Amino acid sequence: MPLLSQLKNNIKGTTETLNDIISQRTLSSVFQPIINIQNGNILGHEGLIRGPVNTDLHAPLNLFKLAKSKGQNKVCDLELASLEIGLESFARYSCKNKIFINVSPECLLLFDENKVVSLAYIENLGLNPKDIVLELTESSPTFDYSTLYKVIESYRNVGFQIALDDLGEGYSSLRLWSELRPEYIKIDKHFIHGINFDPVKLQFVKSIQQIADNSSTKVIAEGVETEAELAIIKDLNIEFCQGYLLGHPKPEPIHKVSENIEHFFARKTLSVFPKASGSYKQSNLKKLLVKVPFVSTKATNDEVYVSFDSNPKLFSIPVAKDDIPIGLISRSSMIDRFVRPYGRELYGKKSCVEFMDDKPLIVDANITFHALSDLITQMEPHHLTNGFIITENGKYIGLGSGHALLREITEMQISAARYANPLTLLPGNVPINEHIDRLLEKKNIFWACYCDLDNFKPFNDAYGFRHGDQVLQLVGETLTKSVDANFDFVGHIGGDDFILICQSEDWEDRCNYMLKHLEQTMPTFYSEDDRKMGGIKNEDRQGNKTFYPFSTLSIGAVKIDPELFPSHYEVAAAMTVAKKEAKRISGNSLFYERRYRE
């Protein structure tokens, strides 16, 4: 058979296969639970579709990839069939929770809404519209936002809720959030995977939660696979989560989480946020500057559209008179108007001021990032997506994007929040105090330990700073490796002073292990002659020859009850007293302050 004929037959065959799948409804639904992190209750289930069993099309990725190759209408036919099967399958189990059903904005606009989810259809299934969440899965930036908003509102008016899927992955998810104001936002699993190791992901998720708090949106963290990830997002006060750790997709909705997860939710320990390396640096706003040529008020909308069309990365175009900015035209505003019926015919020859935002955000290049961040949060959300105009001496010099600003602010927050000791790279005073205050605020009981090296200065004087630094690094590594990194905090406040903030119940055993390990390791830093003596002879401050035994570690520990310690100041004072008592004991020692025991 000629290659061209074979190709045509293959296309025909796959089309017929897809049509049969849709018409014969050889699809099935599975359900993955969405859990309230704070109490372990089930909010609802996401209905996920599967193709015919024992075929390559059983995987939804392959199924929808095939549909996409046949055109948008075929994608929407498949979505409609998937939505109906998902609702009908869920209804059979008489589940009392919500059902999240995926639908793309493009297909939602094409659907006859009465046919898809009419009240009669829902009532016939025995479902309540208030328990149905339409989960928007964005695939392209070409839809008409104003029309989509009207369609969404028609569903909301009869009780449906809206969720935005995969925040951080799509083309314009921030704008969708701003325009549609969904009841739920799902953070893409990329930002959840490994969040316990990645301070950038931590700051991204923290920022999203802060925006959600101010917009009455509930956040759902997707792709949770480990308890460490779950602990972090729980401590960020994110309300809901979804992922393999909580439950794999199954044909029947589950009614409760596993005993292991129940135990986790009952646990009061707080996670230790990942540490960022590097020091804080004040960034210059010009780092965000994009040199976009401005247009005059005489420019037509057709001319501005051509500029957008020729440069896909261009998000906005400024309008100026004699280098003085007066407005901003966003790509979304331009496309919104032009995709409407007769939009280009009506507005194409008119002045660009028709589509111009005459109250854009205009900032001087010398403004600080913190001031700019505060300014944007107080203004309308569209300034974040449209960007802002940067001026110098009142004259236009370029544009800045909201995404670039968020990235820079995230990096600054990391640096500002994580002052690290340059030698051991362990957190210093600021993050130590922050972590203590977090524990006190959550009313968590913990153990605070002040660790101090004995006879370190004589060793440093005898062997030099280089060897002294190696000893300090050894101590830092020993403490770090001896604790549970997810729940026990190790800090270095400077010199030979370290801090342990432990939530592990076996903290005392861990401390004794540290002392034993250092007792075995510390002599290796001394010369053979000094090892034979058990220490070094060195002059004291009065010039007298004095014998100093091997350097040892003294640990002063206090059990911290938040009812007795209002802040990190009182915790630090109690630790200091305990450390002084520990240093009265010769050799490697652990002193547990008993006055604060229950």
Side-chain angles (χ1 to χ4, degrees), residues 240-264:
F240 303 104
C241 63
Q242 177 181 354
Y244 289 161
L245 178 69
L246 292 310
H248 287 257
K250 293 183 178 180
E252 183 177 349
I254 66 171
H255 298 289
K256 61 180 297 187
V257 296
S258 68
E259 290 185 5
N260 288 341
I261 296 302
E262 282 187 340
H263 175 73
F264 174 88

Side-chain angles (χ1 to χ4, degrees), residues 393-405:
N393 298 322
K395 294 187 176 183
Y396 169 80
I397 59 172
L399 293 181
S401 77
H403 289 290
L405 175 63

Side-chain angles (χ1 to χ4, degrees), residues 119-405:
L119 290 179
Y121 173 71
I122 295 300
E123 290 174 359
N124 186 53
L125 292 176
L127 298 176
N128 189 327
K130 293 182 180 180
D131 293 329
I132 300 175
V133 183
L134 298 178
E135 186 171 321
L136 300 185
T137 56
E138 184 191 3
S139 57
S140 74
T142 58
F143 44 81
D144 182 347
Y145 284 92
S146 59
T147 304
L148 177 62
Y149 178 79
K150 293 177 183 177
V151 172
I152 290 297
E153 284 303 293
S154 70
Y155 283 106
R156 273 203 178 107
N157 290 338
V158 294
F160 291 89
Q161 292 184 310
I162 304 300
L164 180 60
D165 194 21
D166 294 336
L167 181 73
E169 182 190 50
Y171 293 93
S172 53
S173 49
L174 280 176
R175 188 183 175 195
L176 269 176
W177 188 356
S178 172
E179 295 276 359
L180 304 181
R181 304 298 172 94
E183 283 76 18
Y184 299 95
I185 283 285
K186 284 189 164 186
I187 300 179
D188 183 60
K189 61 185 179 183
H190 164 78
F191 297 98
I192 304 302
H193 179 65
I195 190 174
N196 50 307
F197 300 116
D198 193 327
V200 175
K201 290 180 179 179
L202 173 72
Q203 291 298 330
F204 176 86
V205 174
K206 184 184 291 186
S207 298
I208 293 304
Q209 179 60 38
Q210 289 173 345
I211 296 173
D213 286 340
N214 293 327
S215 59
S216 300
T217 304
K218 304 294 186 182
V219 176
I220 302 171
E222 290 188 293
V224 179
E225 297 186 0
T226 68
E227 286 195 6
E229 293 168 353
L230 183 58
I232 291 285
I233 60 177
K234 181 176 185 286
D235 293 344
L236 290 176
N237 293 321
I238 289 176
E239 194 163 354
F240 303 104
C241 63
Q242 177 181 354
Y244 289 161
L245 178 69
L246 292 310
H248 287 257
K250 293 183 178 180
E252 183 177 349
I254 66 171
H255 298 289
K256 61 180 297 187
V257 296
S258 68
E259 290 185 5
N260 288 341
I261 296 302
E262 282 187 340
H263 175 73
F264 174 88
F265 287 129
R267 199 165 59 194
K268 286 196 66 177
T269 50
L270 282 179
S271 58
V272 176
F273 287 160
K275 300 179 287 294
S277 60
S279 58
Y280 174 81
K281 294 181 180 179
Q282 177 63 46
S283 298
N284 190 318
L285 189 60
K286 289 185 179 180
K287 287 178 62 177
L288 306 182
L289 188 143
V290 180
K291 293 185 178 180
V292 177
F294 65 81
V295 297
S296 71
T297 56
K298 295 180 181 180
T300 66
N301 288 316
D302 276 334
E303 291 171 334
V304 175
Y305 182 83
V306 169
S307 296
F308 280 123
D309 191 51
S310 62
N311 187 354
K313 294 184 178 180
L314 194 60
F315 53 91
S316 290
I317 295 178
V319 182
K321 289 183 179 179
D322 300 324
D323 292 336
I324 307 299
I326 62 170
L328 192 66
I329 304 171
S330 69
R331 173 185 288 274
S332 57
S333 175
M334 174 66 69
I335 293 176
D336 277 357
R337 302 293 183 88
F338 269 32
V339 297
R340 297 177 187 177
Y342 309 108
R344 191 160 188 177
E345 290 80 0
L346 290 172
Y347 298 104
K349 303 302 180 184
K350 293 185 178 181
S351 168
C352 63
V353 298
E354 288 277 342
F355 299 162
M356 179 184 78
D357 176 5
D358 61 0
K359 295 180 180 178
L361 177 56
I362 302 176
V363 296
D364 187 86
N366 294 319
I367 191 174
T368 66
F369 279 147
H370 288 301
L372 178 56
S373 174
D374 291 340
L375 188 61
I376 285 185
T377 55
Q378 295 170 14
M379 301 183 73
E380 292 296 322
H382 71 267
H383 291 295
L384 187 62
T385 53
N386 294 349
F388 47 90
I389 294 173
I390 303 174
T391 61
E392 197 167 55
N393 298 322
K395 294 187 176 183
Y396 169 80
I397 59 172
L399 293 181
S401 77
H403 289 290
L405 175 63

Side-chain angles (χ1 to χ4, degrees), residues 50-75:
R50 297 291 184 265
V53 296
N54 300 323
T55 70
D56 291 340
L57 296 181
H58 183 68
L61 184 64
N62 295 338
L63 184 64
F64 278 90
K65 184 178 180 181
L66 173 60
K68 190 174 182 180
S69 70
K70 307 305 177 185
Q72 186 62 47
N73 286 337
K74 193 59 64 178
V75 172

Side-chain angles (χ1 to χ4, degrees), residues 268-542:
K268 286 196 66 177
T269 50
L270 282 179
S271 58
V272 176
F273 287 160
K275 300 179 287 294
S277 60
S279 58
Y280 174 81
K281 294 181 180 179
Q282 177 63 46
S283 298
N284 190 318
L285 189 60
K286 289 185 179 180
K287 287 178 62 177
L288 306 182
L289 188 143
V290 180
K291 293 185 178 180
V292 177
F294 65 81
V295 297
S296 71
T297 56
K298 295 180 181 180
T300 66
N301 288 316
D302 276 334
E303 291 171 334
V304 175
Y305 182 83
V306 169
S307 296
F308 280 123
D309 191 51
S310 62
N311 187 354
K313 294 184 178 180
L314 194 60
F315 53 91
S316 290
I317 295 178
V319 182
K321 289 183 179 179
D322 300 324
D323 292 336
I324 307 299
I326 62 170
L328 192 66
I329 304 171
S330 69
R331 173 185 288 274
S332 57
S333 175
M334 174 66 69
I335 293 176
D336 277 357
R337 302 293 183 88
F338 269 32
V339 297
R340 297 177 187 177
Y342 309 108
R344 191 160 188 177
E345 290 80 0
L346 290 172
Y347 298 104
K349 303 302 180 184
K350 293 185 178 181
S351 168
C352 63
V353 298
E354 288 277 342
F355 299 162
M356 179 184 78
D357 176 5
D358 61 0
K359 295 180 180 178
L361 177 56
I362 302 176
V363 296
D364 187 86
N366 294 319
I367 191 174
T368 66
F369 279 147
H370 288 301
L372 178 56
S373 174
D374 291 340
L375 188 61
I376 285 185
T377 55
Q378 295 170 14
M379 301 183 73
E380 292 296 322
H382 71 267
H383 291 295
L384 187 62
T385 53
N386 294 349
F388 47 90
I389 294 173
I390 303 174
T391 61
E392 197 167 55
N393 298 322
K395 294 187 176 183
Y396 169 80
I397 59 172
L399 293 181
S401 77
H403 289 290
L405 175 63
L406 283 174
R407 184 178 63 248
E408 282 297 318
I409 289 175
T410 295
E411 292 178 1
M412 290 173 63
Q413 287 175 336
I414 291 170
S415 298
R418 290 290 173 190
Y419 295 110
N421 185 283
L423 177 62
T424 60
L425 299 181
L426 292 171
N429 288 331
V430 172
I432 292 171
N433 294 338
E434 286 178 349
H435 186 70
I436 291 173
D437 285 338
R438 280 181 62 218
L439 290 166
L440 295 175
E441 182 182 352
K442 293 289 186 177
K443 305 298 182 183
N444 281 23
I445 291 176
F446 59 97
W447 290 267
C449 306
Y450 195 140
C451 309
D452 186 16
L453 277 174
D454 310 306
N455 300 324
F456 176 69
K457 186 180 183 306
F459 172 88
N460 215 28
D461 292 342
Y463 286 93
F465 289 108
R466 183 165 175 263
H467 288 282
D469 288 348
Q470 290 175 344
V471 169
L472 295 177
Q473 288 171 334
L474 167 70
V475 174
E477 291 171 3
T478 300
L479 270 56
T480 301
K481 292 178 180 178
S482 303
V483 300
D484 184 336
N486 293 318
F487 304 109
D488 299 330
F489 187 101
V490 182
H492 186 183
I493 60 177
D496 57 357
D497 296 325
F498 295 81
I499 298 294
L500 294 177
I501 306 299
C502 296
Q503 296 177 82
S504 299
E505 293 287 342
D506 61 346
W507 68 274
E508 199 165 356
D509 292 337
R510 294 175 184 272
C511 286
N512 286 323
Y513 171 81
M514 299 170 198
L515 297 176
K516 184 177 180 180
H517 179 74
L518 290 174
E519 183 179 7
Q520 295 171 348
T521 310
M522 195 66 71
T524 63
F525 287 90
Y526 290 77
S527 68
E528 185 175 352
D529 290 341
D530 288 340
R531 284 200 296 272
K532 290 178 180 178
M533 287 194 301
I536 57 176
K537 287 184 178 180
N538 208 352
E539 290 185 355
D540 61 17
R541 294 180 179 179
Q542 287 74 38

